[in-house]
Amino acid sequence: MHDKIPLSESRINIDLNTSFSSIDTGMVEKFEKSLEEYYGHQKSILALNSGTSAIHLALILCGVEEGDEVLCQSLTYVATINPIIYQKGSPVFIDSEKDTWNMCPIQLELAIQDRILKGKKPKAIILVHLYGMPAKIDEIVCIARKYNIMLIEDAAEALGAEYKGKKCGSFGDFAILSFNNNKIVTTLGGGALICNTKAEKEKAFFYATQAKEKESHYEHKEIGYNYRMNAAGALIGLSQLKKLKEYLQKRRAINDFYKDYFKEFSGVCFLKETSLNVTSNHWLSCFYFDNRVVDADKYELMEFFKKNRIEVRFLWKPMHLQPVFNDFPYYGDKIAESLFLNGLCLPSGSNLIKNDLKRISESIKKFL
């Protein structure tokens, strides 16, 4: 029997002889400095225990409170949305556009105008770079500034992606990264909040470490959280960051392989860069079937892959279609829904070898 081919995996090699104090924060601070160096020392970055924690802190720093509305794209992972609920806010879901599959700027502005007419000007926008593909950043940043709305950039899936030569995570009032187990760089669970100023980072640190006041005793005037990254995760992250360039090259080569292989199959449409301004990290290589051209069932294909021990995944189910979010407004058509109904993510891990890609391609050929 063949070994299972995972969807997205990174091989971790660490020096188990490395020792450090369980209460020393030096390793975490070193990881933060490495991230700040990666962003050209233009940002202040706080290492946390998850990307979800980072979004939550960003919302707090944006002043999102009970009853406030936050605009966010519908086609995303639920972790983008849950922190809005933590703050007792209300998500307002926006459809995707066809080029990048990310938030549609046209629907975004229509939503803002309609919410303002209803007396509910949104407090923040959460922009996602889905599967590592940069969104239409210029348009969305322009809209956020036009209406004076804070912009949070969810770059959880987009470390290493760039827009006009500038790294994703550089464009918002705040941005976040994820170092979850399946990301290009992992800390075996972790994330980061990207701030524009040191003061913002210090305020985020205050909330991430239980909101302890600067007193000799334990004094608390606000609710805080246990969101800090641990030293072991930071140690892994330092090792992983050194290999980011290598990992990016491998993910992009895998994506090139898939696009080239699928050329012979009509009706198979890949998520790809549509402009020279955009450089995806291709965290996951994704496609959808154009059902006007090809009669294929993604559920049958997924089951076929499963029997061949190849892990594939459905595209995210849009948040406005999730039962838990039924009562929140949605602006758009059915682009996100159509992508979900017809799309799949293929194995894209940095550890894939030629034999893995051969197995995957042969399986696809048998099915189609």
Side-chain angles (χ1 to χ4, degrees), residues 77 128-132 154-159 178 183 281 283 316:
Y77 183 50
V128 182
H129 302 300
L130 198 69
Y131 301 119
D154 182 348
E157 303 169 5
L159 181 64
S178 171
K183 295 300 190 294
N281 66 6
W283 170 56
W316 302 124

Side-chain angles (χ1 to χ4, degrees), residues 88-362:
K88 299 183 180 179
S90 297
V92 176
F93 297 115
I94 310 297
D95 200 1
S96 297
E97 36 81 7
K98 294 180 180 179
D99 292 336
T100 74
W101 302 5
N102 290 304
M103 180 182 284
C104 175
I106 295 171
Q107 296 295 343
L108 172 64
E109 186 159 27
L110 289 173
I112 293 171
Q113 292 171 347
D114 188 56
R115 302 320 289 173
I116 290 174
L117 283 174
K118 289 179 168 63
K120 298 179 178 180
K121 181 183 175 183
K123 200 66 169 285
I125 300 167
I126 301 180
L127 164 67
V128 182
H129 302 300
L130 198 69
Y131 301 119
M133 182 63 67
K136 295 194 172 181
I137 295 173
D138 282 348
E139 293 95 322
I140 293 172
V141 169
C142 182
I143 292 168
R145 289 176 179 169
K146 178 179 177 180
Y147 293 95
N148 194 27
I149 299 174
M150 299 289 282
L151 179 63
I152 299 169
E153 196 181 347
D154 182 348
E157 303 169 5
L159 181 64
E162 295 184 357
Y163 180 77
K164 292 185 175 180
K166 192 174 178 181
K167 294 176 174 60
C168 288
S170 302
F171 300 93
D173 295 292
F174 296 96
I176 73 100
L177 299 170
S178 171
F179 305 114
N180 197 20
N181 297 8
N182 61 0
K183 295 300 190 294
I184 287 183
V185 165
T186 181
T187 59
L188 295 181
L193 176 64
I194 302 175
C195 303
N196 288 325
T197 69
K198 185 177 179 181
E200 291 168 340
K201 176 181 175 179
E202 289 173 351
K203 190 64 176 177
F205 177 85
F206 170 74
Y207 287 119
T209 53
Q210 300 292 16
K212 181 184 178 297
E213 299 291 335
K214 294 180 179 179
E215 301 286 351
S216 56
H217 58 279
Y218 285 90
E219 181 86 7
H220 303 274
K221 297 177 182 178
E222 298 182 66
I223 297 298
Y225 308 91
N226 183 18
Y227 281 172
R228 201 76 165 107
M229 180 179 282
N230 65 65
L235 174 63
I236 294 171
L238 283 165
S239 171
Q240 289 270 294
L241 268 181
K242 293 175 183 177
K243 299 179 180 179
L244 177 57
K245 185 176 180 180
E246 173 190 341
Y247 292 161
L248 289 170
Q249 289 172 341
K250 288 183 177 179
R251 301 259 177 171
R252 288 166 179 156
I254 290 165
N255 183 261
D256 286 341
F257 170 85
Y258 284 136
K259 286 187 294 188
D260 184 65
Y261 180 78
F262 273 97
K263 282 180 181 177
E264 63 179 281
F265 302 103
S266 59
V268 178
C269 307
F270 267 82
L271 174 61
K272 59 185 179 181
E273 292 96 338
T274 58
S275 165
L276 294 176
N277 291 327
V278 173
T279 305
S280 174
N281 66 6
H282 293 296
W283 170 56
L284 293 182
S285 289
C286 309
F287 72 93
Y288 68 90
F289 291 118
D290 184 343
N291 49 27
R292 298 169 301 178
V293 178
V294 60
D295 183 20
D297 187 311
K298 72 168 187 176
Y299 291 95
E300 291 180 3
L301 178 57
M302 193 165 192
E303 189 60 31
F304 184 80
F305 272 126
K306 186 177 179 180
K307 288 178 181 178
N308 286 276
R309 293 180 57 76
I310 299 170
E311 183 182 3
V312 297
R313 178 196 284 174
F314 297 147
L315 300 185
W316 302 124
K317 181 177 180 179
M319 294 297 104
H320 76 280
L321 299 177
Q322 300 285 357
V324 70
F325 299 129
N326 271 343
D327 296 332
F328 296 106
Y330 170 73
Y331 291 82
D333 195 7
K334 292 183 178 291
I335 293 174
E337 183 176 351
S338 177
L339 288 167
F340 164 66
L341 290 174
N342 298 292
L344 287 173
C345 307
L346 292 169
S348 307
S350 306
N351 295 330
L352 290 183
I353 58 176
K354 287 184 178 179
N355 283 342
D356 295 330
L357 293 172
K358 182 179 179 182
R359 265 180 63 196
I360 295 165
S361 58
E362 287 177 348

